[in-house]
Amino acid sequence: MPTTLYNEPSPLETKVLSKRFGLENSHRLDTYLAHDGFKAFLKARQMTPEQIVEEVKTSALRGRGGAGFPTGLKWSFVPRTSPKPKYIVINADESEPGTCKDRLLMEYDPHQLIEGILIAGLAMDAHKGYLYIRGEYRYLIDHTDRAIGEAYSKGYLGKNIAGTGFDFDLYTHSGAGAYECGEETALLDSLEGKRGIPRMKPPFPAVAGAWASPTLLNNVETFSAVPNIIRDGGAAFAALGTPKNGGTRLVCISGHVNKPGVYELPLGYPMLKAIYEVAGGIPGGKKLKAVVPGGSSCPLLKAEECDIPMDYDTLAKAGSMLGSGGMVVLDETTDMVKFALRIMRFYAHESCGWCIPCREGTTWLRKILQRFDDGGGRKEDIPVLGEVSKNMLGRTFCALGDAAAMPTISIVEKFREDFEKRLAGASRASELVTV
Amino acid sequence: MLAAYPEGRKRSAVVPMLIYAQDETGAVTPELIAEVAKRCEVEPLQVDEVVGYYSMLHRKPLGKYHVQVCTNISCLLVGGEELYEHAKKKLGIGNKQVTADGQFSLEEVECMGACSWAPAVEINYDFHHYVTPERLDQLIDALRKAN
Amino acid sequence: MAETVKLTINGKQIEAEKGTLLIEVARQNGIEIPAFCYYQNLSLQAACRMCLVEVEKTPKLQVGCTLPVAEGMVVHTDSEVVRQSRKGMVELLLTNHPLDCPVCDKGGECELQDMTFRYGLGESRFVERKQHVDEEQWSPVVYFDRPRCIMCYRCVRVCNEGLDVTALGVGNRGVVSQILPNFHDHLECDECGACIDICPVGALTSGAYRYKTRPWEMHHVGTICTHCADGCRTTLGVRNEKIIRGNNRDSSGINGEFLCVKGRYAFDFTEHPERLQSPLMRAGGRLEPVSWSQALEAVAKKFIEVKQGSGHFGVIGSCHTTNEENFYLQKFARQVLGTKNVDHHRSGDLATLFDALTDRGKVLATVEDLANAKAVLVVASDLAQQHPMLANQIRASRRLRGARVYTVTPGPVREDKNAVASVRVQKGGELAGIESLRDKLKAESDLTIVFGDAIQGESLRKLIAFGDSLGLAVKYICLVDYSNSRGAFDMGLIPRDGGLSREQMLARDLDVLWVVGANPLKEVRGESKAGFLVVQDLFLTETAQRADIVLPAASAYEKTGTVTNVCGEVQKLKAAINVMGPKADLEIMGLIAREMGPAAVRTLGMWLPDKVFEEIRKTVHGYDVPMPVVATGGAAPTMPLNGRVAALPGSISSAGDTLFTSGTLGRYSKVLNSVMESPGALYEEKGRHS
Ligand SMILES: Cc1cc2nc3c(=O)[nH]c(=O)nc-3n(C[C@H](O)[C@H](O)[C@H](O)COP(=O)(O)O)c2cc1C
Ligand code: SF4
Ligand code: SF4
Ligand code: SF4
Ligand code: SF4
Ligand code: FES
Ligand code: FES
């Protein structure tokens, strides 16, 4: 089974979550048990829920789904003593363009994820978990179901787990094609059998989430980090990264690089080093034009802005985001009009349609950009692109509207000349040919 | 499937039930909507709402092999669009169309989580990475032959 | 008094109840925060983003329709950035809006048009192609034009939350998302038009009103629906002596914005081609048109002749005619014709009720009482079918104020869905069913019991005894049919003091049977037994067909007067249109009296509604209602008789109309017929709410 990896690992990686990737039968429970598996769960069983949450806080782990919210803090919001049932929901919707890491964590090391979920169950006094997996990942749903079955049969799920008296049931739940269902509250609506429309907050899912009960919702990678934190201590995990940005993360490097792939790098890793050393640099020795630092929702960085360490706070200072870890590298030949259009086609297609600015704005922007791409761009359209985006920014019902606006604003502001070159009548600039 | 959800929450099974059933029936028909509504104890309208929302649910049958080519950003940068154009020519159909013999259908899809191994194609539920036009031809020809 | 907070809106210091939504607080203080999706009493959506305002110390604009006010909040609703944001929203909304205002039914009263005017940009920068989809007809009543829809979800919520019908949902996603009817391409529902009414734009339009006029070409008349007994106030839009539209957007009246399909659309019987336009008189076995004077003279002659002869008269009144008409008619019968044989189709046992409630004080619930009830018990009635407005009131009480609902009915009813307990009983088993709820009901703090015609006579007395035994404040609503059954009873259209009941009159060989606005021979075969049959009606009903003289009458929408609803509340009718051929029943009676001679007129008084109502106020028990309330279109509760009421002969039974029927009138309503012919006819049988 998955012993062949989709890409070669890099010697520059710091392998914590991915340390078992590549082992023979890495996905099997036996393999997991032979390599530290479920030690953390047994340790957590001896801790109080408060201690578990405290350890996660100490680790400075931040959500790997995109928003980077401090995980320990989020865990502390769930009213553990509520008389209602509590649920753990795992976000495996992985749909942010540029992102392909949760897939690996489920494929190569599903028991690490299960152990993380169980530890969260201990901390929340929750006994049921739902793994919401995007529908396109059917093979992974089947694969994860097998891993869950294996865990049940060996007593690592179900009643009296590993003889500790703790009960937990875990189920997979298939999505059916909707990026918006990665947004945590839309995901909950989808889990409840509805259209994936985000919910009003407050109440937050921690208080009223799945079926109106307290719910802890985190990304696959976030949960996968937890066994490592509990086993080796939050401080050790934190020390891998930079202050307030604990640990390592799986960075998905794609686009114009020689060795695209998913690499586990510590937080604060230099961006240029990731591009030129880990991912082997840009093919043909071309120059770097721009980087999408963490999935299509992030504002782009121009080449000269990329000499920074990759942590949440630095990226925020640079006017962008670390996002979901999907790092897309664009070389000098990239046509930014086409790139912006493809991004906007995505958001227009994925907008759930609930609120006016996102529903209408994404389509309007898509149409303008399409016109540009078809050779009908007008000078006065360029500011309209930015203004319509700004009319969306911060005014939509959920963050998808922002996610559509932010990259567009950055592209129009930073690469205006690409738009000017594509104005109607202007001869199509010869260097803009790649895409 | 219904047993996974808490008491009185059968509605939760609507989306998975639809997509698994669609794999069997080929499309979401009004009869299927009615059946799912009955099993999940909701109004047919509430199922109908869901069908239109999710892009993997469809009311018309697709080909036996549904070829999904990603053209989103990571794929785009390394030839995803050309690959999609190639697939159109190869199969002689456009987006969301089905070949006359019902064997193949084609769809230009959004990012499917294979960005670092782009360009990516998914045929039914099987992923194919680093797909070149030649590789796509081989895949399609092999499926044609298998029939 | 709840906790209050101090906040500032646009520099104005404001004190408000803590937790109230900012948009409400602003409105209460005369500050407009524009809104599409926010709608009072419906769930919050935060979807249209028109209500974004600036709140100091928060980085982003805040959503006014979901933001509870808090101490020290400093709000700006008219700052540069807020205005810019609104402009942006309107501009975005218009990108896919067809801007076909000149041909849109909503033109002139469209909230989007308004908003564009007040907050919009002036010109659009949108030069792309708009989405287009063709208009769809979803039911005889409901049309949907997707491009005009702004996705405010008001229609979905009013149908799901307000009506509990859940006929509307949302389909697709993104820019092609749209409102979805329950049968994918058509609707099977209450056809109440609430969704159309609440739509801020011309996306949902009504089959009845479409393209008939422009809003500013109509004038509006507020009157009372003539169909069921609930007494909804409806505002009729009139143009060229035609009623074009019914709604109650100003929420005046006991029904708020509610109207059922009948109140909103079934005024169309008034213009039915078979409407009687001229008096008819039997000649050579056939009914032939005659002039009013010929007809009146013939009637008067007959009346005088029989009065001087046998004196065998029978008088059957109506459940639709006004209090004034009913009063005048019974007075005519008793004092001019000298007969006690007076009755109407009785559908609720009011005599026993009033008798049993002697000395109980105010225990008949008004609609408002029902709205404030903490618990409601529904007995032997399918309210959603038969008393749509009361049903709506109960739903609202439950949804907004947490009222607890119990049902004891023979079959499933819509109220079951949210009922605390539902008991299914066979006919006759109602009291046992109620008894089984005793412990639960005892625990309530108050209770309103709404009961149908199955509860009459002895079982009604037992019901009251049951109510007495609970040890809490219990109020009652005795369900009756049609807009003025209650008034017919109160005015004395009843066979008291030994008069003949309706059935008895039909069975006897009376010399004259005078039927005003009723169809008692509908189920009777063969000729009328009466020697001479005079009928006043709108149509040539089964009874009128057998008459000797038929006098064409005006409908409730064509006359003034008052009616008393199921809860005993008096409301005023206002003529929406004038009719040429027919006359109001009161006038017809007056003219007959005049033909009979000055003595009759002296006895009866002038046939002017106001004059007659004055007399009613002075002489009918409980009707000394405050005039200003009635005159201004309000509902004035009456006090029923307090004291022994003798038992009456004759039977009591409801006509059992459904949501889509309304006795004779319903048969002449094109809208109701088309609704029943549409797939929606299956609605009831399918038991979709069971
Ligand atoms: C439009 C949108 C799409 C999202 N998609 C995903 C996703 O596919 N996977 C994910 O884990 N988080 C996604 N998120 C973030 C989630 O809302 C949520 O923040 C996250 O799952 C929380 O987990 P974390 O704290 O572990 O990151 C998305 C957010 C938005 C606004
Ligand atoms: S921003 Fe609005 S339309 Fe867009 S996905 Fe979120 S809720 Fe839906
Ligand atoms: S007409 Fe009434 S019942 Fe029918 S969809 Fe509209 S609101 Fe719902
Ligand atoms: S049809 Fe009217 S009420 Fe319904 S969502 Fe559209 S605009 Fe709003
Ligand atoms: S509920 Fe009764 S009074 Fe109200 S509109 Fe309907 S029929 Fe008329
Ligand atoms: S962009 Fe094609 S798989 Fe992600
Ligand atoms: S009124 Fe507040 S968002 Fe629509």
Side-chain angles (χ1 to χ4, degrees), chain A residues 180 198 351-355 358-359 396-398 400-401:
Chain A
E180 175 62 1
S351 163
C352 82
W354 182 252
C355 69
C358 167
R359 180 181 70 235
T396 53
F397 187 79
C398 83
L400 190 145

Side-chain angles (χ1 to χ4, degrees), chain A residues 195 360 367 371 387 391, chain C residues 84 125 128-129 172:
Chain A
R195 305 166 80 240
E360 306 294 344
K367 285 176 176 171
R371 194 155 43 73
E387 284 161 26
N391 281 344
Chain C
Q84 186 276 334
R125 298 174 292 181
E128 324 300 328
R129 276 175 75 128
N172 300 340

Side-chain angles (χ1 to χ4, degrees), chain C residues 45 409 438 522 660 671:
Chain C
Q45 312 288 288
T409 54
R438 176 180 287 275
K522 181 170 178 236
F660 303 133
V671 167

